[in-house]
Amino acid sequence: MPELQFLGATGTVTGSKYLLTTGNQKVLIDCGLYQGLPALKDKNWKPFPIQPNEIDAIFITHAHLDHTGYLPKLVQLGYRGPIYATSSTAELMNIVLLDSAHLQEEEASFHKQGNGCCPDAEPLYTVQDASEALHLIKQIRFGEKFERGNLTVEFLQAGHILGSAFIRITVKENGTEETILFTGDMGRYGSPILNDPTPVTESDYLLLESTYGDRSHSTISREDALLPPIQECLKRKGCLLMPAFTIGRTQEILYTIRVLLQQNKIPPIPVYIDSPMAIDVTHIYATHHDEHDLDLEKMEKEGNSPFQFPSLNYVRTVEASKALNEAKGPIIIISANGMATGGRIMHHLVHRLPDPNTILLFVGYQAEGTRGRQLLEGAKSVKIFHQDIPVKATIMQSDTFSAHGDFTEILRWLAGFTKPPGKVFLVHGEPDGREGLKRHILEKFPSWNIELPAEAATEDLTLTLRRSS
Ligand SMILES: [Zn+2]
């Protein structure tokens, strides 16, 4: 009988890993890194609960590190099987896994040399491990069913980031079959660039994310969220500085600026994307026309690409990035990383935070303990590169650009089910998110069977719904 074990993302939003064991094979769905607070990060160093070489295959929902970032470690520990992902996810993984490995190596060497605290510090994994993991990737097309032993697998567009998929696995065993759908992260309805989440009408089991299970996003449009800070920047002739996540967020902001330009709501203010990773990711976004929604298709047909317009500048070299310090406003600088914990954004913060004409706009979640959170909470100064930097800039925030569906969007998607799933497992959520989503689902669908699995819990997938094949 098939069995599912929850190896991560239970009661937290990182470390997604689910092990599906059937009579013939063991497969892993997602292989994410734990991120955030030290207690979570420490889990990446714990022994993996089974021998990695006992796993026959891995299926990846999307490229974010909390779903892929443990792959190089698993390869270091002996995994040599295939890693299945959509082609755009594969391209994005190429960027994020190598970057993650570089950061792991840098962190280890910092601890070794820096203050001499940990002379034996080793990276969690190396660039070599990441390269080996990347060689194991096999690309899968959206909507194409493929067989692997007793499993039939299909990837459906999830609308969360480019390449993101719901993975539907049908297990055939002893003359019966059962379907399990893994949502990975749930995208949004009506968001620019990507298609809406694919409707699903039934599944025996459903693993559903719950990041925003207790919240609904602001209903302000993306244009209305971005227009006031841009207008303020124009008025002050200052810099609108946006720390932004490189995958998805940066591209949505560009799209929104392009719409505002097209509607003549703003003049052609210079826009700088100052992050080599964001530039590479934007190129991948621009070339995957198969995943673009109708609005983007229309814009591009009219010659108005959001990824290429006269006032948009891509800043690749360090020299060009430094030269931005001299650029007079009004200008918009979008740089990484999104929580102001590292990357080129740090240099811009040093230079621009003491300037009262700067507007710092956060467009993503700022986790506890990050510099982004400190600034949002009104810090009068922040420490960057061992200096106290006074904060004279105006700090603003918008939650309109989230890439995760809120509970209303999740309920909208669930309403497409023509019969209730046998069981719904709520994963990838903090306790409030999971509890909140359970409550909202039961209000709308009182008879549904909802479970909040604990870490490392194992569930037998033998349903009352069993059908004869
Ligand atoms: Zn994600």
Side-chain angles (χ1 to χ4, degrees):
M1 91 186 51
E3 216 179 66
L4 189 62
Q5 195 179 10
F6 299 85
L7 300 180
T10 49
T12 174
V13 293
T14 62
S16 282
K17 292 177 210 79
Y18 313 106
L19 181 71
L20 176 64
T21 303
T22 73
N24 309 18
Q25 53 183 333
K26 285 184 199 302
V27 299
L28 193 64
I29 295 84
D30 281 346
C31 189
L33 200 64
Y34 279 105
Q35 296 172 293
L37 297 169
L40 283 171
K41 285 199 207 162
D42 285 350
K43 289 176 184 247
N44 296 320
W45 292 89
K46 296 266 158 64
F48 196 71
I50 66 161
Q51 283 299 326
N53 60 11
E54 287 176 26
I55 300 171
D56 298 285
I58 300 176
F59 302 102
I60 295 294
T61 60
H62 67 288
H64 276 148
L65 275 185
D66 58 325
H67 296 258
T68 61
Y70 193 79
L71 281 168
K73 184 70 184 175
L74 211 63
V75 168
Q76 185 197 80
L77 296 173
Y79 178 73
R80 291 291 177 273
I83 298 168
Y84 295 99
T86 62
S87 60
S88 35
T89 294
E91 284 180 49
L92 292 172
M93 280 166 73
N94 209 4
I95 296 174
V96 298
L97 290 188
L98 291 175
D99 181 67
S100 170
H102 276 296
L103 290 175
Q104 299 286 350
E105 288 187 359
E106 264 172 35
E107 204 175 318
S109 77
F110 172 80
H111 286 303
K112 255 184 197 166
Q113 303 155 5
N115 48 18
C117 75
C118 328
D120 302 327
E122 289 295 330
L124 181 65
Y125 50 76
T126 62
V127 170
Q128 177 66 29
D129 298 323
S131 304
E132 282 176 29
L134 291 166
H135 277 110
L136 300 175
I137 296 179
K138 297 202 179 311
Q139 299 188 9
I140 298 300
R141 258 192 258 272
F142 276 115
E144 208 173 72
K145 285 186 185 166
F146 71 99
E147 311 272 337
R148 216 202 117 84
N150 60 332
L151 307 180
T152 307
V153 186
E154 190 180 6
F155 285 58
L156 307 167
Q157 292 191 34
H160 167 62
I161 58 166
L162 193 80
S164 66
F166 301 145
I167 300 180
R168 176 154 56 198
I169 300 183
T170 304
V171 186
K172 292 193 193 82
E173 212 163 75
N174 307 325
T176 64
E177 64 174 56
E178 281 171 354
T179 302
I180 310 146
L181 189 113
F182 299 83
T183 63
D185 288 351
M186 173 72 70
R188 308 206 43 200
Y189 288 92
S191 71
I193 304 173
L194 300 178
N195 289 312
D196 287 350
T198 306
V200 170
T201 55
E202 60 179 290
S203 185
D204 295 328
Y205 293 96
L206 176 63
L207 262 81
L208 178 62
E209 75 125 327
S210 54
T211 312
Y212 289 101
D214 59 337
R215 275 178 276 174
S216 59
H217 297 314
S218 130
T219 51
I220 294 174
S221 72
R222 288 168 178 77
E223 290 77 36
D224 287 345
L226 216 48
L227 188 57
I230 296 180
Q231 282 170 333
E232 191 56 31
C233 164
L234 290 163
K235 200 169 92 190
R236 295 183 190 184
K237 295 192 172 50
C239 173
L240 173 58
L241 187 57
M242 276 187 262
F245 299 106
T246 51
I247 307 178
R249 210 63 51 93
T250 298
Q251 295 74 30
E252 278 196 20
I253 290 164
L254 285 180
Y255 182 100
T256 309
I257 292 174
R258 189 65 162 125
V259 171
L260 291 171
L261 282 167
Q262 230 177 318
Q263 295 172 346
N264 288 321
K265 289 189 175 158
I266 55 169
I269 173 171
V271 179
Y272 296 90
I273 303 294
D274 184 16
S275 153
M277 191 165 149
I279 297 170
D280 292 341
V281 170
T282 303
H283 180 71
I284 297 174
Y285 260 76
T287 48
H288 273 272
H289 299 282
D290 51 325
E291 291 179 53
H292 291 172
D293 68 2
L294 292 175
D295 292 337
L296 177 55
E297 234 174 69
K298 187 166 168 278
M299 261 174 118
E300 287 191 316
K301 272 201 187 112
E302 291 165 355
N304 296 321
S305 166
F307 308 125
Q308 208 65 257
F309 50 90
S311 57
L312 173 60
N313 307 277
Y314 290 105
V315 181
R316 205 175 266 281
T317 66
V318 173
E319 294 71 36
S321 173
K322 282 183 182 159
L324 281 180
N325 284 350
E326 309 307 320
K328 296 276 174 283
I331 57 166
I332 298 175
I333 299 176
I334 303 164
S335 188
N337 69 30
M339 294 194 198
T341 53
R344 286 189 184 176
I345 189 74
M346 306 312 295
H347 298 276
H348 295 300
L349 290 172
V350 169
H351 185 70
R352 304 275 178 183
L353 278 178
D355 179 354
N357 286 326
T358 299
I359 295 158
L360 177 64
L361 174 63
F362 288 103
V363 286
Y365 180 72
Q366 302 301 310
E368 226 177 297
T370 61
R371 210 173 272 100
R373 175 69 78 93
Q374 258 180 297
L375 285 160
L376 269 184
E377 286 174 350
K380 294 276 172 275
S381 75
V382 283
K383 221 178 193 82
I384 303 178
F385 307 137
H386 306 290
Q387 302 170 57
D388 281 315
I389 308 295
V391 182
K392 297 276 192 296
T394 304
I395 316 288
M396 299 172 90
Q397 186 188 25
S398 165
D399 73 349
T400 298
F401 289 87
S402 173
H404 291 264
D406 61 15
F407 78 81
T408 60
E409 288 165 300
I410 294 174
L411 289 179
R412 175 174 165 186
W413 182 76
L414 292 175
F417 276 69
T418 51
K419 67 174 186 182
K423 201 181 263 188
V424 181
F425 299 106
L426 298 186
V427 291
H428 200 287
E430 310 261 340
D432 286 351
R434 290 211 293 180
E435 290 290 347
L437 188 57
K438 180 178 179 178
R439 210 174 49 244
H440 289 301
I441 295 176
L442 289 176
E443 272 165 21
K444 190 156 178 179
F445 309 107
S447 66
W448 283 28
N449 189 356
I450 316 280
E451 197 156 310
L452 276 51
E455 190 176 338
T458 302
E459 286 277 339
D460 288 339
L461 304 186
T462 32
L463 267 187
T464 43
L465 293 175
R466 277 194 167 218
R467 298 162 294 173
S468 227
S469 60

